Amino acid sequence: MTTYKTRNEVPLHEKWDLTDLYTDQEKWDEDYQHIQQIAQQLKAFDGEIHDGHSLYQFLKLNEELSFVFNKLYAYAMLSVDEDTRETKTQSLIDRAKHLSVKVSSSTSFFMPFLLSLEETTLNHYIESEKGLDYFKEDLLESFRYKAHVLSKEQEEVLSELGEALSVPGHTFGMINNADIKFGEVTNDNGERVELTRGMYSKLIEDENRDKRKEAYKAYYQPYVQLKNSIASTLSAAIKNNVTMAKIRKYPSALEKALFGDRVPKEVYENLISTTKNNIESMHKYTRLRKEKLKLDELRQYDLNVPLVSGVKQEISYDEAYGTMCKALAPLGEEYVSILKEFKEARYIDVRETPGKRSGAYNLGVYGVHPFILLNHQDDLDSLFTLAHECGHGAHSKLSSQHQPQITARYSIFVAEVASTVNEVLLINYLLNNEKNTEIRKHLLNHFIDQFKGTFFTQVMFAEFEMKTHEMAEKGMPLNVEVFNEIYETLFREYNGEDVVFDEEVKYGWSRIPHFYRPFYVYKYATGFASAIHLATKILEGDQETLESYIEFLKSGSSDYPLELLKKTGVDLTTPYPIENSLNKFNELVKELSEL
């Protein structure tokens, strides 16, 4: 395991190359000035768009601005993430954010203007100006919202209220990130120390059950203490969603959230009902866990500990990269050559260094290439993270190469498909090439737990959101008791009768930040299920699926997400892809229990 004290110690080929964006600060400053000038020009169009030609001039200029701005912002963000303590780069991101506000205000007139047009007028503009063909889909897409947009004065009032409406989420963020003080735990030297989130994620997987229990109790302590305050912020957030849906004339808060992706609410309901109808394999896994851990009572703090101990593998970065490329060979030579380019051309920042942003992400920059941030630890988790982020990276790269700027960015709805397909191909490769029974068990356990977290837990959260919003829509009260009862019932339905409940279980709702971003988590589950379905077909050698999948990666947002997936054979309006992935889960659990 290599640890670096400074960024300078990291070998050059393991650091990304930001000169692909800007060779020096002067060029960045030039673009900054350039964007300010374009913003001024755009502002001058307010009240001056009277025909197809002026509409086209505005849109063309606006696209040029967003191209340059995305590059400028990416450079600032990536520079800061290399070392978040660096004041010089912090000032870059501050300037970029300030510029972003300027840019938004210079174009804020456009949406109300567009939606004030009659459809016949807009169509006349499009027909009269050849250049508008390029923007046509986007203009008509914006028009889809016309029925949900209010008068200019009402819209102004709502935008004034924007900040007030975001208070519940902001307050929860403050409680959760700044104010919360977890209880104390005993460290390895026998001293009492305050628990941190980082410590918790390690301790909850500790083989020592007393340590897990102590961490669990300490972690939930502040949430239980603050239950009424948090219930009040969550209740307010839900009521805000419901009120906004009503004001904007959507049938429900759920349908408002699904409108952008053109997802019918049946897809959401089908995800929940199909999962519930096939929940037995999840219960089977809970029973297996109880058996393997040799426990009389399985409790919530026993649900994360790995079932196989002592198989920590050291996997260097180069070895991990080679393994990933072999594992992804079923996706074809073009795909693997893209991944090799990521490494050779330094698109990836590999190592953890003091001050570097934690976690991992992929940032696609149109007209340049993707940038991937890792904090690689030379272990199995890091190998999976690498494959995951390279899935996002390849999706960004292929979409940018094959789509014009306007449709190059893919929707969040399909974002997790490419990353998960990579992970499924990777686990498959590792299992096929591993003879050691203990390591095989460890791999299966790793993937089953990931399946559980990305799929079952998210579906449970999605059902919690649906139930609580429906209650608000009927004018029923939302408070601690109501949230507790719904959450506890769902937790039992999803995890089975083998879990013995501690008092803390029912407060699970109080620590989930995603609940302040309504009806978002279900996308993890649909993306995961779609990926399992596709990867299974690709591994069976289905050539048609492989070709349509690569086509999908090149499609960006050239169609609505459900339509893009349908072209690959995944139809989320039917139970089939969900059932198919749950069958896969069942097979994994069966194989683990046989081992």
Side-chain angles (χ1 to χ4, degrees), residues 501-523:
F501 277 29
D502 286 87
E503 177 63 13
E504 288 84 354
V505 172
K506 62 186 177 208
Y507 291 101
W509 56 268
S510 64
R511 56 180 193 84
I512 311 297
H514 273 107
F515 287 160
Y516 297 84
R517 192 175 173 181
F519 304 110
Y520 174 82
V521 292
Y522 87 98
K523 297 176 186 183

mmCIF file of all heavy atoms in Angstrom, residues 501-523:
data_model
loop_
_atom_site.group_PDB
_atom_site.id
_atom_site.type_symbol
_atom_site.label_atom_id
_atom_site.label_comp_id
_atom_site.label_asym_id
_atom_site.label_seq_id
_atom_site.Cartn_x
_atom_site.Cartn_y
_atom_site.Cartn_z
ATOM 1 N N PHE A 501 -35.192 -6.297 16.006
ATOM 2 C CA PHE A 501 -35.103 -4.838 15.926
ATOM 3 C C PHE A 501 -34.610 -4.185 17.210
ATOM 4 O O PHE A 501 -35.147 -4.411 18.270
ATOM 5 C CB PHE A 501 -36.486 -4.251 15.587
ATOM 6 C CG PHE A 501 -36.780 -4.278 14.116
ATOM 7 C CD1 PHE A 501 -36.211 -5.260 13.306
ATOM 8 C CD2 PHE A 501 -37.611 -3.343 13.532
ATOM 9 C CE1 PHE A 501 -36.467 -5.297 11.946
ATOM 10 C CE2 PHE A 501 -37.889 -3.374 12.180
ATOM 11 C CZ PHE A 501 -37.316 -4.348 11.378
ATOM 12 N N ASP A 502 -33.599 -3.345 17.063
ATOM 13 C CA ASP A 502 -33.222 -2.431 18.138
ATOM 14 C C ASP A 502 -34.110 -1.198 17.996
ATOM 15 O O ASP A 502 -34.645 -0.930 16.920
ATOM 16 C CB ASP A 502 -31.758 -2.012 17.988
ATOM 17 C CG ASP A 502 -30.806 -3.135 18.378
ATOM 18 O OD1 ASP A 502 -30.485 -3.972 17.507
ATOM 19 O OD2 ASP A 502 -30.407 -3.168 19.543
ATOM 20 N N GLU A 503 -34.171 -0.415 19.046
ATOM 21 C CA GLU A 503 -34.966 0.815 19.071
ATOM 22 C C GLU A 503 -34.580 1.737 17.899
ATOM 23 O O GLU A 503 -35.410 2.418 17.314
ATOM 24 C CB GLU A 503 -34.727 1.512 20.423
ATOM 25 C CG GLU A 503 -35.416 2.852 20.611
ATOM 26 C CD GLU A 503 -36.939 2.785 20.571
ATOM 27 O OE1 GLU A 503 -37.506 1.676 20.649
ATOM 28 O OE2 GLU A 503 -37.548 3.862 20.431
ATOM 29 N N GLU A 504 -33.279 1.720 17.523
ATOM 30 C CA GLU A 504 -32.764 2.668 16.524
ATOM 31 C C GLU A 504 -33.281 2.402 15.102
ATOM 32 O O GLU A 504 -33.325 3.323 14.282
ATOM 33 C CB GLU A 504 -31.231 2.624 16.486
ATOM 34 C CG GLU A 504 -30.551 3.238 17.688
ATOM 35 C CD GLU A 504 -30.427 2.280 18.875
ATOM 36 O OE1 GLU A 504 -30.961 1.151 18.832
ATOM 37 O OE2 GLU A 504 -29.797 2.671 19.869
ATOM 38 N N VAL A 505 -33.640 1.155 14.787
ATOM 39 C CA VAL A 505 -33.973 0.783 13.405
ATOM 40 C C VAL A 505 -34.986 1.738 12.788
ATOM 41 O O VAL A 505 -34.813 2.228 11.681
ATOM 42 C CB VAL A 505 -34.507 -0.673 13.321
ATOM 43 C CG1 VAL A 505 -35.031 -0.975 11.918
ATOM 44 C CG2 VAL A 505 -33.414 -1.663 13.684
ATOM 45 N N LYS A 506 -36.050 2.029 13.538
ATOM 46 C CA LYS A 506 -37.158 2.799 12.966
ATOM 47 C C LYS A 506 -36.799 4.255 12.673
ATOM 48 O O LYS A 506 -37.542 4.969 12.016
ATOM 49 C CB LYS A 506 -38.381 2.714 13.875
ATOM 50 C CG LYS A 506 -38.190 3.293 15.259
ATOM 51 C CD LYS A 506 -39.416 3.021 16.115
ATOM 52 C CE LYS A 506 -39.225 3.533 17.522
ATOM 53 N NZ LYS A 506 -40.022 2.743 18.474
ATOM 54 N N TYR A 507 -35.618 4.701 13.174
ATOM 55 C CA TYR A 507 -35.194 6.087 12.919
ATOM 56 C C TYR A 507 -34.326 6.198 11.661
ATOM 57 O O TYR A 507 -33.740 7.251 11.400
ATOM 58 C CB TYR A 507 -34.421 6.639 14.124
ATOM 59 C CG TYR A 507 -35.297 6.846 15.335
ATOM 60 C CD1 TYR A 507 -35.294 5.929 16.382
ATOM 61 C CD2 TYR A 507 -36.147 7.959 15.420
ATOM 62 C CE1 TYR A 507 -36.119 6.103 17.495
ATOM 63 C CE2 TYR A 507 -36.969 8.139 16.519
ATOM 64 C CZ TYR A 507 -36.952 7.205 17.553
ATOM 65 O OH TYR A 507 -37.763 7.380 18.638
ATOM 66 N N GLY A 508 -34.256 5.130 10.887
ATOM 67 C CA GLY A 508 -33.414 5.127 9.678
ATOM 68 C C GLY A 508 -33.716 6.286 8.734
ATOM 69 O O GLY A 508 -32.811 6.840 8.097
ATOM 70 N N TRP A 509 -34.973 6.670 8.647
ATOM 71 C CA TRP A 509 -35.390 7.772 7.746
ATOM 72 C C TRP A 509 -34.690 9.093 8.077
ATOM 73 O O TRP A 509 -34.524 9.949 7.219
ATOM 74 C CB TRP A 509 -36.907 7.996 7.832
ATOM 75 C CG TRP A 509 -37.382 8.273 9.232
ATOM 76 C CD1 TRP A 509 -37.817 7.346 10.139
ATOM 77 C CD2 TRP A 509 -37.423 9.534 9.913
ATOM 78 N NE1 TRP A 509 -38.126 7.944 11.343
ATOM 79 C CE2 TRP A 509 -37.895 9.292 11.229
ATOM 80 C CE3 TRP A 509 -37.124 10.844 9.541
ATOM 81 C CZ2 TRP A 509 -38.068 10.299 12.172
ATOM 82 C CZ3 TRP A 509 -37.290 11.857 10.475
ATOM 83 C CH2 TRP A 509 -37.754 11.577 11.782
ATOM 84 N N SER A 510 -34.275 9.249 9.343
ATOM 85 C CA SER A 510 -33.804 10.561 9.803
ATOM 86 C C SER A 510 -32.393 10.895 9.320
ATOM 87 O O SER A 510 -31.924 12.006 9.504
ATOM 88 C CB SER A 510 -33.838 10.624 11.333
ATOM 89 O OG SER A 510 -32.920 9.681 11.866
ATOM 90 N N ARG A 511 -31.706 9.933 8.688
ATOM 91 C CA ARG A 511 -30.297 10.205 8.318
ATOM 92 C C ARG A 511 -30.068 10.165 6.809
ATOM 93 O O ARG A 511 -28.939 10.102 6.347
ATOM 94 C CB ARG A 511 -29.375 9.190 9.022
ATOM 95 C CG ARG A 511 -29.744 7.779 8.730
ATOM 96 C CD ARG A 511 -28.890 6.706 9.382
ATOM 97 N NE ARG A 511 -29.206 5.441 8.756
ATOM 98 C CZ ARG A 511 -28.674 5.018 7.628
ATOM 99 N NH1 ARG A 511 -27.764 5.748 7.015
ATOM 100 N NH2 ARG A 511 -29.034 3.869 7.100
ATOM 101 N N ILE A 512 -31.159 10.202 6.004
ATOM 102 C CA ILE A 512 -31.020 10.034 4.552
ATOM 103 C C ILE A 512 -31.119 11.388 3.822
ATOM 104 O O ILE A 512 -32.215 11.922 3.634
ATOM 105 C CB ILE A 512 -32.118 9.073 4.000
ATOM 106 C CG1 ILE A 512 -32.210 7.787 4.820
ATOM 107 C CG2 ILE A 512 -31.876 8.779 2.510
ATOM 108 C CD1 ILE A 512 -30.965 6.921 4.803
ATOM 109 N N PRO A 513 -29.988 11.944 3.364
ATOM 110 C CA PRO A 513 -30.030 13.244 2.670
ATOM 111 C C PRO A 513 -30.844 13.191 1.374
ATOM 112 O O PRO A 513 -31.457 14.185 0.984
ATOM 113 C CB PRO A 513 -28.560 13.534 2.348
ATOM 114 C CG PRO A 513 -27.752 12.535 3.106
ATOM 115 C CD PRO A 513 -28.631 11.410 3.484
ATOM 116 N N HIS A 514 -30.866 12.026 0.718
ATOM 117 C CA HIS A 514 -31.568 11.929 -0.571
ATOM 118 C C HIS A 514 -33.070 12.219 -0.457
ATOM 119 O O HIS A 514 -33.705 12.541 -1.457
ATOM 120 C CB HIS A 514 -31.378 10.538 -1.179
ATOM 121 C CG HIS A 514 -30.135 10.437 -2.006
ATOM 122 N ND1 HIS A 514 -29.021 9.759 -1.584
ATOM 123 C CD2 HIS A 514 -29.828 10.937 -3.216
ATOM 124 C CE1 HIS A 514 -28.087 9.848 -2.513
ATOM 125 N NE2 HIS A 514 -28.545 10.558 -3.516
ATOM 126 N N PHE A 515 -33.637 12.083 0.738
ATOM 127 C CA PHE A 515 -35.075 12.345 0.886
ATOM 128 C C PHE A 515 -35.404 13.829 0.656
ATOM 129 O O PHE A 515 -36.561 14.195 0.523
ATOM 130 C CB PHE A 515 -35.584 11.904 2.260
ATOM 131 C CG PHE A 515 -35.671 10.398 2.418
ATOM 132 C CD1 PHE A 515 -35.713 9.812 3.679
ATOM 133 C CD2 PHE A 515 -35.720 9.566 1.306
ATOM 134 C CE1 PHE A 515 -35.795 8.427 3.827
ATOM 135 C CE2 PHE A 515 -35.803 8.193 1.440
ATOM 136 C CZ PHE A 515 -35.835 7.620 2.699
ATOM 137 N N TYR A 516 -34.358 14.663 0.619
ATOM 138 C CA TYR A 516 -34.598 16.090 0.367
ATOM 139 C C TYR A 516 -34.443 16.412 -1.124
ATOM 140 O O TYR A 516 -34.468 17.562 -1.520
ATOM 141 C CB TYR A 516 -33.658 16.943 1.231
ATOM 142 C CG TYR A 516 -33.954 16.723 2.700
ATOM 143 C CD1 TYR A 516 -33.393 15.651 3.389
ATOM 144 C CD2 TYR A 516 -34.861 17.532 3.374
ATOM 145 C CE1 TYR A 516 -33.705 15.401 4.721
ATOM 146 C CE2 TYR A 516 -35.179 17.299 4.703
ATOM 147 C CZ TYR A 516 -34.602 16.225 5.372
ATOM 148 O OH TYR A 516 -34.930 15.973 6.688
ATOM 149 N N ARG A 517 -34.270 15.361 -1.914
ATOM 150 C CA ARG A 517 -34.222 15.517 -3.372
ATOM 151 C C ARG A 517 -35.256 14.531 -3.899
ATOM 152 O O ARG A 517 -34.951 13.366 -4.155
ATOM 153 C CB ARG A 517 -32.816 15.126 -3.840
ATOM 154 C CG ARG A 517 -32.550 15.520 -5.260
ATOM 155 C CD ARG A 517 -31.123 15.218 -5.633
ATOM 156 N NE ARG A 517 -30.928 15.450 -7.047
ATOM 157 C CZ ARG A 517 -29.787 15.256 -7.670
ATOM 158 N NH1 ARG A 517 -28.753 14.830 -6.997
ATOM 159 N NH2 ARG A 517 -29.689 15.472 -8.961
ATOM 160 N N PRO A 518 -36.516 14.948 -4.014
ATOM 161 C CA PRO A 518 -37.617 13.991 -4.099
ATOM 162 C C PRO A 518 -37.553 13.034 -5.292
ATOM 163 O O PRO A 518 -37.190 13.436 -6.397
ATOM 164 C CB PRO A 518 -38.855 14.890 -4.214
ATOM 165 C CG PRO A 518 -38.344 16.203 -4.673
ATOM 166 C CD PRO A 518 -36.961 16.330 -4.113
ATOM 167 N N PHE A 519 -37.883 11.776 -5.017
ATOM 168 C CA PHE A 519 -38.031 10.731 -6.047
ATOM 169 C C PHE A 519 -36.804 10.630 -6.955
ATOM 170 O O PHE A 519 -36.910 10.588 -8.164
ATOM 171 C CB PHE A 519 -39.299 10.981 -6.878
ATOM 172 C CG PHE A 519 -40.533 11.056 -6.026
ATOM 173 C CD1 PHE A 519 -41.209 12.255 -5.838
ATOM 174 C CD2 PHE A 519 -41.013 9.921 -5.397
ATOM 175 C CE1 PHE A 519 -42.336 12.326 -5.034
ATOM 176 C CE2 PHE A 519 -42.145 9.981 -4.582
ATOM 177 C CZ PHE A 519 -42.809 11.178 -4.402
ATOM 178 N N TYR A 520 -35.656 10.596 -6.305
ATOM 179 C CA TYR A 520 -34.401 10.522 -7.046
ATOM 180 C C TYR A 520 -33.791 9.123 -6.924
ATOM 181 O O TYR A 520 -33.250 8.585 -7.886
ATOM 182 C CB TYR A 520 -33.451 11.577 -6.482
ATOM 183 C CG TYR A 520 -32.055 11.545 -7.050
ATOM 184 C CD1 TYR A 520 -31.766 12.151 -8.266
ATOM 185 C CD2 TYR A 520 -31.010 10.910 -6.377
ATOM 186 C CE1 TYR A 520 -30.492 12.127 -8.801
ATOM 187 C CE2 TYR A 520 -29.730 10.884 -6.902
ATOM 188 C CZ TYR A 520 -29.478 11.485 -8.105
ATOM 189 O OH TYR A 520 -28.208 11.454 -8.630
ATOM 190 N N VAL A 521 -33.894 8.521 -5.730
ATOM 191 C CA VAL A 521 -33.152 7.276 -5.454
ATOM 192 C C VAL A 521 -33.592 6.094 -6.331
ATOM 193 O O VAL A 521 -32.814 5.186 -6.566
ATOM 194 C CB VAL A 521 -33.254 6.855 -3.968
ATOM 195 C CG1 VAL A 521 -32.516 7.821 -3.075
ATOM 196 C CG2 VAL A 521 -34.699 6.705 -3.532
ATOM 197 N N TYR A 522 -34.838 6.129 -6.830
ATOM 198 C CA TYR A 522 -35.303 4.985 -7.629
ATOM 199 C C TYR A 522 -34.446 4.795 -8.879
ATOM 200 O O TYR A 522 -34.338 3.703 -9.424
ATOM 201 C CB TYR A 522 -36.786 5.168 -8.005
ATOM 202 C CG TYR A 522 -37.018 5.968 -9.281
ATOM 203 C CD1 TYR A 522 -37.262 5.329 -10.487
ATOM 204 C CD2 TYR A 522 -36.955 7.363 -9.280
ATOM 205 C CE1 TYR A 522 -37.454 6.061 -11.660
ATOM 206 C CE2 TYR A 522 -37.142 8.093 -10.438
ATOM 207 C CZ TYR A 522 -37.393 7.440 -11.626
ATOM 208 O OH TYR A 522 -37.560 8.145 -12.778
ATOM 209 N N LYS A 523 -33.797 5.894 -9.328
ATOM 210 C CA LYS A 523 -32.973 5.817 -10.544
ATOM 211 C C LYS A 523 -31.757 4.912 -10.341
ATOM 212 O O LYS A 523 -31.263 4.317 -11.290
ATOM 213 C CB LYS A 523 -32.502 7.213 -10.968
ATOM 214 C CG LYS A 523 -33.642 8.142 -11.334
ATOM 215 C CD LYS A 523 -33.146 9.540 -11.657
ATOM 216 C CE LYS A 523 -34.313 10.485 -11.864
ATOM 217 N NZ LYS A 523 -33.925 11.828 -12.246
#
